[in-house]
């Protein structure tokens, strides 16, 4: 019997640009044209001022580790232990993701550590943005 697959996101018209970006190897965010607030998750209006004048831009892909938990229970598509993390993007927004490319231990996952985006292609339709320790 095949092992259950990892859950897949379901793009909506409001999030399609983000998922198109991940497939292209880009982390795309939105910025308000009125107040210059960069934000995530995608939505058709600024969460800061409510303006509907927003633009999409390519983010740097740089982040710092803001918070995390190490999950030890098996879940379809994941091999425990694995980090469920919140990263703070260089542009300001925070996003939930997984940390890859290092041991999944408290000793290796230091708060405020420098990270960079890494893309994992699940299939032709879905590529996920994950983060790994920066190679600086």
């Amino acid at each position: 019997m095949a092992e259950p697959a990892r859950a897949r996101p379901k793009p909506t018209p409001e999030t399609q640009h983000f998922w198109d970006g991940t497939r292209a190897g880009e982390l795309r965010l939105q910025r308000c044209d009125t107040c210059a607030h960069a934000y995530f998750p995608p939505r058709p209006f600024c969460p800061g001022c409510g303006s509907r004048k927003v633009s999409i831009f390519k983010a740097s892909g740089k982040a710092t580790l803001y918070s995390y938990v190490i999950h030890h229970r098996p879940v379809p598509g994941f091999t425990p232990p694995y980090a469920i993390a919140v990263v703070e993007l260089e542009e300001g927004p925070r996003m939930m993701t997984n940390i890859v490319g290092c041991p999944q231990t408290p000793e290796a996952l230091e708060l405020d550590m420098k990270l960079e985006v890494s893309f994992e292609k699940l299939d032709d339709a879905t590529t996920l943005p994950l983060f790994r320790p920066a190679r600086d």
Side-chain angles (χ1 to χ4, degrees), residues 27 32 34 38 40-41 43 53 55-56 64 68 72 101 114 119 129:
L27 187 61
C32 178
T34 302
F40 184 85
R43 63 197 90 166
K53 295 179 184 173
S55 300
I56 297 165
T64 56
Y68 70 92
H72 293 276
K114 300 296 182 198
F119 296 97

Side-chain angles (χ1 to χ4, degrees), residues 63-69 84-88 99 105-115:
T64 56
L65 183 58
Y66 181 78
S67 182
Y68 70 92
V69 296
I84 302 168
V86 175
V87 300
E88 187 167 301
I99 306 299
T105 64
E107 293 77 21
L109 298 169
E110 295 181 24
L111 294 181
D112 296 324
M113 71 187 287
K114 300 296 182 198
L115 303 168

Side-chain angles (χ1 to χ4, degrees), residues 25-89:
E26 296 179 357
L27 187 61
R28 296 180 185 167
L29 299 177
Q30 290 173 291
R31 180 179 292 124
C32 178
D33 296 337
T34 302
C35 73
H37 177 71
Y39 60 90
F40 184 85
R43 63 197 90 166
F45 60 89
C46 174
C49 73
S51 174
R52 291 194 170 269
K53 295 179 184 173
V54 298
S55 300
I56 297 165
F57 70 99
K58 179 182 173 186
S60 68
K62 296 178 182 179
T64 56
L65 183 58
Y66 181 78
S67 182
Y68 70 92
V69 296
I70 299 172
H71 198 347
H72 293 276
R73 301 189 75 172
V75 175
F78 293 89
T79 302
Y82 59 94
I84 302 168
V86 175
V87 300
E88 187 167 301
L89 302 173

